[in-house]
Amino acid sequence: MESFAELALGSGGPSAVAELRSGQRSRTMLLLRALVDMASAHPGLPGPLPPPRDAWRLLVRAEHRSPAAVERLLLHPPVGVWLHRCLRRLRGLESEDGPLWSAVGYLHAMAASAALLTGIDFRGAVPVCEGGVILPALGFARIPDTTDVAEVVMSGQKAVVLSGPHSVTLPADFSEDAPDWHGLRRLRGEHRGIVCSPLVDDIDPYRDFLRIRGPERLGAEERQDWRERFDNAWRLVAEQRQVDPRGIGACLVSVVPVPYTAWPEPFSASSPEAYGCVLLNGATDPLTLAAALVHEAQHIKLSALMDLVPLIEGGLEEIHYAPWRLDPRPLRGLLQGVYAFLGVTGFWWDRLRRAETGPARNTAAFEFALRRAQTASGLRTLLIHAELTPRGKEFLRGLEKRLAEWLEQPVPSVPGRLASDLIEDHRLVHRMRHLATEPERTAQWAWAWRERTDPPRELPGTSVRPTRPEALARPALARLRLRDPAGFARLREGGGAGLPGGGAAPDRVDLDWAAGDTAAALRGYRARLEADPDDIPAWAGLALSLPDGVARTTLLNHPELAVALHRELRTAPGRGPDPMALARWIGTRGRG
């Protein structure tokens, strides 16, 4: 594709996104036709609805009349979510509540939307669910009774939804509200002539690709809040030029407000099954929201690109370290993360260059340093372990070239130190959580400690053992120190009595670490380990706080061995070797 080189540098403007959209449209039509064929042959269908091929024919008629209007429908993100869910259900790979005919009936609702968008007179049956009729990409008609099927009628530019004696008349502008009709509304951001106007979807049952949700209409205040925050965030996105903001605006099709949280960082998500959709938690400031929009736009572009251009072979095993997540990831997921965080790195580099001295500059420097290090780490793993196609190699070379420019940039000492520490912190916790040492060799090392003799010449081997990850407190404290020094000082003086923005009250020792008081932090982490030797974040904190020497080197290089050996040597809580002494012994005795 013509725009491949542009995308490989981590950007991509409107022409690149247009190519990606074209590929997604073709893919959706192929999958839709496959669904029609499977549904038409299914013995349990069509239920009380007309045959699926009737809906297909109406959709094709509409496409012949206005390809652009039907493309809007085909690229409506909930259509992709429904399509993949329904195909899996028809293949027996997924189960859902509700009858199959109603799920397949979303196709009839799609066909009705296509006819309405293109002005075709028709009369068609559609399923009723969640108290009404969803017309994809248009809106939701509330139906007061309990019927399973309603009709959509278009005659002479007048459109109604009929259910027994009840009727809902659709407005000429479908995005407007009317009695018993909720139109699908938009957000709008504009700055320097660059526009982003995604749908704000609060009605479609398939809008949230993580689970099916009934309509949850935003109230007037909520809607206004979303409008203001999105407009302010878009100004920040449009200002930067590291990732073409016109391309970002072109690929953001819908924003879905969701209640999910992901403390200490805000929740946002996208999916290859929902091209152009971003799930967002509303509790975010404009700067954080802007970074999230860049992040998710990168995911959206890469997912669409990988549908057109194979970049990597296999890479589905969840065994690799991702420096932005505490659970092991497959190489394909790692590639997605590298691409997304390359864009975020560019965003923060732009903020760093613009910010004046003070908290804003320190925050931008920290985020820039953190994200570029995470991206570089993930990229190294891909270059070492991924089986890349020729285009995949070209793609990674482009990313490597772009990142190299940013790796050379200096950052202030305090933000740089915090970012460096958090990179180590994350890696240490990941290794101690997910790497299991070889039991027999670990037992031999434990015997050597007890008998005060030499251990085996080689260190125990390790294997990946995924466990449930947990959020770390230290990143939020580092951000607070840089963003709001006075607030951080008050929090520390108060002994950690509540963290602004959510989350449990932080431990005093983590506050000492964030403040750079390594002596106090070292004492605190040793005390925490004495109370609970399985406190993995405390082990990582100990490594971060130790002065240079054998013990620190051991904990940084072999943290999983120190934890496993300590666990092997304990006879009861609080009755194990001193962690620092054990780390020094491993470092002086280890040969591997």
Side-chain angles (χ1 to χ4, degrees):
M1 58 183 295
E2 293 182 5
S3 302
F4 183 82
E6 183 182 356
L7 291 165
L9 290 174
S11 189
S15 61
V17 173
E19 288 188 75
L20 299 177
R21 283 175 59 88
S22 178
Q24 289 298 295
R25 182 196 178 284
S26 298
R27 183 172 180 268
T28 300
M29 283 296 284
L30 289 171
L31 292 175
L32 197 57
R33 182 53 195 259
L35 183 140
V36 170
D37 291 343
M38 291 178 67
S40 298
H42 196 285
L45 296 172
L49 294 172
R53 293 193 191 280
D54 288 4
W56 173 259
R57 282 190 284 268
L58 180 58
L59 189 64
V60 170
R61 280 181 60 200
E63 201 273 340
H64 286 160
R65 174 170 289 195
S66 177
V70 174
E71 179 176 292
R72 168 187 162 189
L73 176 64
L74 293 174
L75 294 179
H76 186 49
V79 167
V81 178
W82 160 76
L83 185 52
H84 285 85
R85 279 181 174 270
C86 203
L87 282 169
R88 288 193 292 268
R89 190 168 178 185
L90 287 168
R91 293 171 179 147
L93 301 176
E94 186 173 297
S95 61
E96 290 180 8
D97 295 334
L100 177 61
W101 67 263
S102 181
V104 174
Y106 192 89
L107 171 65
H108 293 273
M110 277 185 63
S113 288
L116 292 169
L117 283 169
T118 55
I120 295 175
D121 286 354
F122 77 104
R123 187 183 194 100
V126 293
V128 176
C129 62
E130 299 289 350
V133 170
I134 185 70
L135 291 172
L138 301 184
F140 181 75
R142 290 203 172 275
I143 302 297
D145 55 27
T146 57
T147 185
D148 291 332
V149 176
E151 283 190 308
V152 182
V153 180
M154 178 79 164
S155 178
Q157 302 302 309
K158 181 181 179 181
V160 295
V161 178
L162 303 174
S163 177
H166 187 78
S167 67
V168 178
T169 300
L170 276 56
D173 181 351
F174 298 121
S175 67
E176 297 291 333
D177 284 351
D180 290 329
W181 171 255
H182 295 312
L184 193 54
R185 304 175 296 203
R186 288 187 180 274
L187 299 170
R188 181 178 175 82
E190 182 173 1
H191 186 60
R192 297 178 178 176
I194 303 172
V195 177
C196 182
S197 185
L199 299 166
V200 55
D201 196 343
D202 53 7
I203 55 176
D204 197 293
Y206 294 99
R207 67 189 182 277
D208 179 351
F209 49 78
L210 298 178
R211 68 180 179 91
I212 295 176
R213 303 166 63 90
E216 297 172 341
R217 196 65 163 169
L218 293 175
E221 290 186 9
E222 290 177 297
R223 185 184 178 196
Q224 183 61 28
D225 182 55
W226 272 100
R227 281 176 168 175
E228 291 176 0
R229 282 188 295 104
F230 185 83
D231 181 61
N232 290 332
W234 182 251
R235 288 176 180 273
L236 300 175
V237 175
E239 280 181 357
Q240 60 83 41
R241 291 293 187 272
Q242 306 305 311
V243 180
D244 193 326
R246 299 169 302 155
I248 296 173
C251 75
L252 293 178
V253 180
S254 71
V255 166
V256 177
V258 293
Y260 312 133
T261 59
W263 189 88
E265 298 191 23
F267 177 88
S268 69
S270 53
S271 168
E273 296 184 356
Y275 173 80
C277 173
V278 178
L279 307 186
L280 286 171
N281 183 297
T284 53
D285 61 90
L287 191 60
T288 305
L289 178 56
L293 292 175
V294 174
H295 180 104
E296 301 304 341
Q298 294 294 91
H299 279 309
I300 290 165
K301 286 185 287 185
L302 181 58
S303 293
L305 176 65
M306 292 176 71
D307 283 337
L308 295 174
V309 181
L311 301 177
I312 187 171
E313 304 287 353
L316 299 176
E317 303 83 4
E318 297 193 8
I319 59 174
H320 296 279
Y321 170 60
W324 45 82
R325 291 180 60 139
L326 282 172
D327 52 333
R329 297 293 289 155
L331 287 169
R332 287 176 179 268
L334 205 59
L335 178 57
Q336 280 283 355
V338 164
Y339 197 68
F341 281 110
L342 183 75
V344 174
T345 300
F347 173 80
W348 286 112
W349 169 238
D350 186 87
R351 299 312 306 170
L352 175 58
R353 293 193 302 169
R354 294 172 182 273
E356 297 180 0
T357 301
R361 182 173 177 79
N362 285 336
T363 296
F366 166 79
E367 297 291 354
F368 170 67
L370 180 68
R371 298 314 187 186
R372 73 176 178 182
Q374 291 173 326
T375 306
S377 173
L379 185 57
R380 283 195 299 271
T381 301
L382 286 168
L383 291 170
I384 293 170
H385 296 286
E387 184 179 348
L388 300 168
T389 66
R391 298 308 297 273
K393 293 177 182 177
E394 181 183 349
F395 191 77
L396 287 196
R397 282 197 298 269
L399 303 186
E400 193 175 24
K401 177 181 178 182
R402 192 73 178 99
L403 183 61
E405 302 172 15
W406 291 326
L407 289 172
E408 296 176 354
Q409 304 302 324
V411 296
S413 60
V414 172
R417 191 273 297 176
L418 288 170
S420 178
D421 268 11
L422 287 175
I423 289 291
E424 291 288 5
D425 187 23
H426 190 280
R427 183 184 62 84
L428 290 168
V429 171
H430 177 274
R431 290 185 64 144
M432 288 184 281
R433 287 284 184 214
H434 302 295
L435 289 187
T437 60
E438 183 186 356
E440 183 177 348
R441 187 61 59 83
T442 303
Q444 292 172 353
W445 272 74
W447 182 87
W449 167 274
R450 292 190 188 100
E451 299 299 320
R452 304 186 181 212
T453 187
D454 289 336
R457 292 187 59 83
E458 296 182 358
L459 297 173
T462 60
S463 59
V464 178
R465 182 192 59 193
T467 60
R468 185 173 181 175
E470 63 186 36
L472 296 177
R474 285 185 282 265
L477 297 178
R479 289 185 169 99
L480 180 62
R481 177 189 173 183
L482 296 170
R483 184 183 69 248
D484 182 8
F488 176 81
R490 288 193 299 271
L491 183 65
R492 194 177 180 214
E493 289 170 5
L499 181 66
D507 194 309
R508 178 58 186 261
V509 64
D510 289 329
L511 288 164
D512 290 336
W513 165 82
D517 189 345
T518 54
L522 182 60
R523 291 192 299 271
Y525 289 126
R526 294 190 72 177
R528 271 175 54 173
L529 287 174
E530 187 174 347
D532 179 9
D534 286 319
D535 185 344
I536 297 300
W539 277 97
L542 181 70
L544 297 177
S545 305
L546 279 169
D548 289 339
V550 175
R552 175 181 168 87
T553 300
T554 298
L555 289 177
L556 290 177
N557 293 333
H558 306 290
E560 66 283 352
L561 175 57
V563 170
L565 196 52
H566 195 276
R567 191 174 291 130
E568 184 82 17
L569 292 167
R570 288 200 305 267
T571 56
R575 299 195 55 188
D578 174 68
M580 290 173 56
L582 181 63
R584 281 194 295 269
W585 180 78
I586 294 171
T588 55
R589 300 301 179 110
R591 307 292 196 279

